[in-house]
């Protein structure tokens, strides 16, 4: 079983750096779990490598206006998601906003 990190609040687990973004960390073989009405993981203006992770929501039916399970935001955000499983969220599993971009490879 993967080590589990439970997110709290609307942003869940937040990964961020100061001005200028850049590679901030590598997250490997972890399970991020959202609480109801929250995200499991927020990447804020940085570029982590997220590999072989699970990003899980609380399950249930789709809900209009619900937060995505994984949010990437900020013009300096260019994360790489490789081999991750994103599921159980009431809205989109993954969302890029506010100029963010990134690479998603081999994810379900």
């Amino acid at each position: 079983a993967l080590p589990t990190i439970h997110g709290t609040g609307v942003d869940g687990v937040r990964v961020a750096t100061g001005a200028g973004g850049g590679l901030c960390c590598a997250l490997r073989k972890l399970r991020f779990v959202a609480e109801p009405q929250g995200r499991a993981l927020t990447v804020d203006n940085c570029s982590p490598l997220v590999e072989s992770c699970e990003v899980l929501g609380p399950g249930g039916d789709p809900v209009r206006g619900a937060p995505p399970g994984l949010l990437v935001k900020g013009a300096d955000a260019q994360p790489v998601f490789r081999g991750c499983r994103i599921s159980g969220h009431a809205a989109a599993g993954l969302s890029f906003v506010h100029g963010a971009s990134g690479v998603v490879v081999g994810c379900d």
Side-chain angles (χ1 to χ4, degrees):
L2 298 175
T4 301
I5 302 171
H6 291 271
T8 58
V10 73
D11 281 337
V13 175
R14 184 172 173 263
V15 179
T17 62
L23 180 64
C24 58
C25 63
L27 303 169
R28 291 186 175 99
K29 297 183 179 180
L30 297 169
R31 177 181 293 127
F32 298 97
V33 180
E35 64 182 17
Q37 302 304 313
R39 296 178 189 89
L41 181 63
T42 298
V43 174
D44 190 354
N45 224 34
C46 66
S47 301
L49 168 63
V50 181
E51 188 171 44
S52 301
C53 290
E54 292 182 349
V55 181
L56 306 176
D61 294 326
V63 176
R64 180 179 220 101
L70 199 162
L71 178 68
V72 180
K73 62 183 180 176
D76 290 325
Q78 297 178 337
V80 174
F81 300 98
R82 185 180 307 136
C84 296
R85 187 173 71 113
I86 304 167
S87 66
H89 302 282
L94 176 59
S95 181
F96 292 87
V97 299
H98 305 297
S101 62
V103 177
V104 180
V105 179
C107 294
D108 295 332

